Amino acid sequence: MRVLGIDPGTLALGFGVIENDSGEPRAVEFGCLKLRAQEPFAIRLKKIYHEISAIIERCQPDEFAIESLFYARNAQVAIKMGHARGVVIVAAANHDLSASEYAPREIKLSVAGTGSASKEQVQRMIQHLLHLPKPPEPLDASDALAVALCHSFRAGKNL
């Protein structure tokens, strides 16, 4: 089973695909889509849609999970983040993947054992859980892998 996890953002969007063939989870592909703040917002959303669609076509995940919207002090940031999440969810839906959403605290708890884990703690646990030779970078990518693992754990996929 393959799971695509997304750590959404409008300037940096992390993605991670994990698989469990032999009872041991492994990273298939992960990275971060970097977008330029100077680009019009609609163009950034279009790039997000196309990149996520390409990842889905290339990696063929069976399931899809995304981090839910966290509290934002700035309403504009929250609205833009909602747009980015919506575009990713539509890309997944257009490839017949339903979206599962997890709160940041739940993701951290499932992979690091505490909902207040730092990004660096999550990164080190992802390295350990997926047997990676070095910590996955950037942090957006390790967060996305954490989303995918959280989904696997919560869905009872025994990864």
Side-chain angles (χ1 to χ4, degrees), residues 3 5 18 65-66 100-111 126 129 143-157 159:
V3 179
I18 62 168
I66 189 167
S100 295
E101 299 182 42
Y102 300 95
R105 288 187 64 80
E106 183 177 5
I107 295 164
K108 292 175 183 181
L109 179 64
S110 73
V111 299
I126 293 301
L129 291 168
D143 286 349
L145 288 167
V147 172
L149 277 172
C150 174
H151 175 72
S152 298
F153 296 151
R154 297 298 186 243
K157 303 301 179 194
L159 284 183

Side-chain angles (χ1 to χ4, degrees), residues 80-128:
K80 286 184 176 185
M81 183 69 77
H83 289 320
R85 289 181 75 257
V87 166
V88 171
I89 291 168
V90 168
N94 282 344
H95 289 86
D96 299 320
L97 296 171
S98 60
S100 295
E101 299 182 42
Y102 300 95
R105 288 187 64 80
E106 183 177 5
I107 295 164
K108 292 175 183 181
L109 179 64
S110 73
V111 299
T114 176
S116 60
S118 70
K119 286 186 170 285
E120 292 78 15
Q121 287 172 310
V122 170
Q123 182 186 46
R124 286 190 301 275
M125 284 305 299
I126 293 301
Q127 178 187 7
H128 173 73

